Amino acid sequence: MVIRFTYRSVLVCLACCAAFASSAQLPSSNERFAIPTGSAARPKIGLVLSGGGARGLAHIGVLKELEAARIPIDFVAGTSMGSIVGGLYASGMPPAELERRVLAMDWDSMFADRPPREELSLRRKADDQKLSLPFEIGMRDGAFRAPIAAVGSSGLERMLKALTHEVPPAIEFDRLPIPYRAVATDLVSGEAVVFDRGNLAAVMRASMSVPAAFAPVEIGGRLLVDGGLVNNLPVDLVRAMGADIVIAVNIGTPLLPREELGSILGVGTQMLNILTEQNVRASLALLRSNDILVTPDLSLVTAMDFNKGPEAINRGAEAARGVLPLLTAYALPETVYSSRLRALRAPSQPNKIDAIRVEGGTLVAPQTIEVALAANVGTAFDEKRIERDLSWVFGRGDFERLDYRIVNERDQNVLLVSAREKSWGPNFFRFGFGFNSDFNGAGQFSLIGNHTRRWVNSLGAEWRNEVQVGRQQRLSTEFYQPLNAAETFFLSASAERRRRLGEVSVQIAEGLTTRPLAEYASRETRALLDLGVAFGRYGELRLGPVYEQQVVTPRIGDLALPSFRANQSGVQASFTIDQRSSAVFAKSGYRLEASAQKALDAFGANASFTRYQWLAEHAFSIGSNTVDVAVRGGSVSRSQAQGYPQFELGGFLQLSGLRSGQLRGDRMNFGRLKAMRQIGTMPAFGRGIYLGGSLEAGKVYGGATVLEFDRSVLGGSLFLGLDTSIGPLYLGAGRASGRNHSAYLYLGRP
């Protein structure tokens, strides 16, 4: 297999396997895995499928035509993408089912190196809200370490497992409905490794481990990567299996032209292409006069073009039809072939799970995984439920790989989970970056760094630290302690020091015309001790005492303006549920937030007051069109006006057309209707390009006299949004009541 080695090509094989992300009905009875390959009176036919990324979808078209022509296949061998299609076909999956899965797949969602966001723990979802850069680095044994591959593999392995769950977990591949072989490369010795037995999903995964893209797979003590490096078209394997006639399907990526070799990536990719092309030529030299070579015309399909699945399948079918006259003599009678297909694809009943056992891991307590999967014990095997439960465990962010299989131990069916923790942990570092400008001199910059030490103790405690620099500066720390293995209850002790700048304006005319009066600096110190209840992957409820002190002083402008100092300590309750598909460009899901803080004299507060704030968001899509509705509000109830206002509105998507934070007060209401349409995919990143607009309405009122601004405001925006790998990027324009308008360049979450 040859894949163009760009950032996006790193994800090719993940998306390739994700095409088959839903299970198909695969036969699994022991009798079915010993079906004879055909009559001894006819020549045996071996099928060879090469690697080639998305181009490998052409194999499905070839299989469809061979089946329609009733050409029996007695042996299958494949490499990389060819090992995936070949392995699933050899295990009994019909070509029509393969095609259905491919054409129904949302390819963009398959490029993610983690479960869907809805399945993550709330703590990992919170990371998305602030940390835009997707990569993380780690520290282990005092040294900084990076992930061993650009893309993880746990999700990929679960997909393959779901597709092969009815195949015995350890089987000789000669006992599959069609005998099968797959090729991988030993990363240490450089030798070809041919699999004739083992766990089918693991073997297919090893065969397509693109070096530096996917983590190597360890099987039998050998570290394995993509087999295309040594034998991308394994003609010799089916010949050794006993094939009299070979049908070889070559879909490898051709060498790059000279004009694409002007970069390090281009040269590196060409080196891999040359290496693969050489072994393909050696394989082609093994073909005999009665063998068939199928070479689909894939000039319009690259290794990354999974959105061109129909094109690749049709090209494969065209090429197969071109060679069918050479195969007609080998076609079986219709009744014989139909009987053969029924035997290959006989359904069976799923197994019952009697117990769970976890192997691997040193830091993560096995009972954490066992508790998450406990509902599967004593019930019939339900792959969707197991995948959902494992997604929750994987979504904690602790694992590099998380795999499972069914094994029989003492007449019990045991769900055996293999866990491999991230080798670059348990200290993890992530970063976020933000910038915005209204092209009128107002702009903000922020850089966030996060450190998380996971599994401080056997119950999964986390120590989390964050620092933010820019116009807003923040330093925070939290120790999060689950109180049971299921993390249903927890304690959290946290502290935060924050400094931010805000503009104070006065009204100078009717409408919303204002003049900046001064810039204030606000310094806030908070400390909390919370007892919490977690609702699985959905959200959490917290309650506890809070210490809060705020000092506000004029920094620029009329320095004779008053300063404010307030102690707002008391008790606080907060509630969060987050089921949005994305922290920014959500296409579905909802988010609810609510909090209440009561300042009490007994806790040292200057004055007693109650502060409420809440947020509700809901997104839904129809095709490429998405509607996202958001409403939020806040109120401070107190006996007398005091100090700095609590809430603010203004800025992009927060009353577009106004300056950021232009409206401030002690009470606030806001609503927004946002609509967007995905108009493309970024070639370099594989994420969406969106065209959208918003309608907004809000009101802020109450507060100190100089800060009060009691108006209802209407606003709206038009924007172009790009979901880049360094965060969401917006270019837009907004307009608000009173002829206020602004243009925006925004990198980060509005």
Side-chain angles (χ1 to χ4, degrees), residues 364-385:
V364 180
Q367 58 264 34
T368 299
I369 301 175
E370 293 169 358
V371 168
L373 294 168
N376 295 278
V377 177
T379 62
F381 179 84
D382 185 339
E383 61 164 319
K384 291 184 178 179
R385 182 171 58 197

Side-chain angles (χ1 to χ4, degrees), residues 629-645:
V629 180
V631 290
R632 65 186 178 100
S635 176
V636 177
S637 302
R638 51 191 172 197
S639 58
Q640 59 184 14
Q642 175 184 344
Y644 205 66

Side-chain angles (χ1 to χ4, degrees), residues 415-426:
L415 179 63
L416 180 61
V417 180
S418 299
R420 175 180 292 180
E421 297 161 2
K422 290 180 177 178
S423 59
W424 55 96

Side-chain angles (χ1 to χ4, degrees), residues 333-606:
E334 184 172 352
T335 55
V336 176
Y337 193 76
S338 297
S339 176
R340 174 186 172 88
L341 289 184
R342 286 194 297 272
L344 292 178
R345 295 159 189 173
S348 65
Q349 295 299 318
N351 296 317
K352 178 183 176 182
I353 304 300
D354 299 306
I356 297 172
R357 182 159 57 85
V358 179
E359 62 180 14
T362 56
L363 291 173
V364 180
Q367 58 264 34
T368 299
I369 301 175
E370 293 169 358
V371 168
L373 294 168
N376 295 278
V377 177
T379 62
F381 179 84
D382 185 339
E383 61 164 319
K384 291 184 178 179
R385 182 171 58 197
I386 292 176
E387 294 301 325
R388 182 196 64 202
D389 294 341
L390 281 178
S391 290
W392 157 246
V393 177
F394 187 69
R396 291 177 51 95
D398 299 315
F399 298 99
E400 179 182 334
R401 293 180 59 198
L402 198 60
D403 193 14
Y404 73 91
R405 65 183 186 273
I406 309 298
V407 298
N408 190 273
E409 298 178 350
R410 299 178 182 178
D411 296 326
Q412 283 194 324
N413 292 317
V414 177
L415 179 63
L416 180 61
V417 180
S418 299
R420 175 180 292 180
E421 297 161 2
K422 290 180 177 178
S423 59
W424 55 96
N427 291 283
F428 298 97
F429 298 86
R430 282 192 60 186
F431 303 91
F433 176 78
F435 169 81
N436 67 80
S437 172
D438 64 3
F439 299 102
N440 286 318
Q444 295 186 19
F445 163 84
S446 66
L447 178 64
I448 303 175
N450 170 282
H451 160 256
T452 303
R453 169 60 163 93
R454 305 218 183 111
W455 286 93
V456 177
N457 55 39
S458 60
L459 281 177
E462 286 188 4
W463 181 34
R464 179 190 183 103
N465 303 284
E466 279 189 5
V467 59
Q468 176 177 339
V469 297
R471 186 173 177 84
Q472 296 193 28
Q473 301 175 18
R474 181 170 56 88
L475 180 64
S476 67
T477 185
E478 179 193 19
F479 190 83
Y480 175 88
Q481 177 63 71
L483 300 179
N484 59 345
E487 296 191 16
T488 309
F489 301 98
F490 63 88
L491 280 173
S492 170
S494 62
E496 180 180 68
R497 176 80 169 179
R498 183 166 61 175
R499 182 180 183 274
R500 56 195 180 103
L501 301 176
E503 177 187 288
V504 175
S505 303
V506 294
Q507 182 178 352
I508 61 175
E510 286 298 321
L512 290 170
T513 305
T514 62
R515 174 175 60 83
L517 183 65
E519 183 178 77
Y520 268 68
S522 171
R523 297 189 301 275
E524 303 167 24
T525 303
R526 286 170 57 89
L528 300 95
L529 180 62
D530 292 326
L531 175 64
V533 179
F535 313 120
R537 59 180 61 83
Y538 293 97
E540 65 181 25
L541 172 67
R542 296 183 177 219
L543 175 65
V546 55
Y547 167 81
E548 181 174 337
Q549 188 176 64
Q550 184 180 42
V551 178
V552 182
T553 56
R555 181 174 177 269
I556 299 175
D558 187 353
L559 301 184
L561 288 170
S563 296
F564 309 109
R565 180 182 297 270
N567 187 318
Q568 303 177 129
S569 303
V571 293
Q572 176 174 293
S574 63
F575 172 75
T576 303
I577 289 181
D578 190 347
Q579 283 288 284
R580 286 172 70 84
S581 60
S582 169
V584 184
F585 294 103
K587 295 185 177 181
S588 63
Y590 59 92
R591 178 180 175 87
L592 302 173
E593 288 184 3
S595 68
Q597 180 177 341
K598 177 69 173 179
L600 300 171
D601 296 341
F603 283 70
N606 300 120

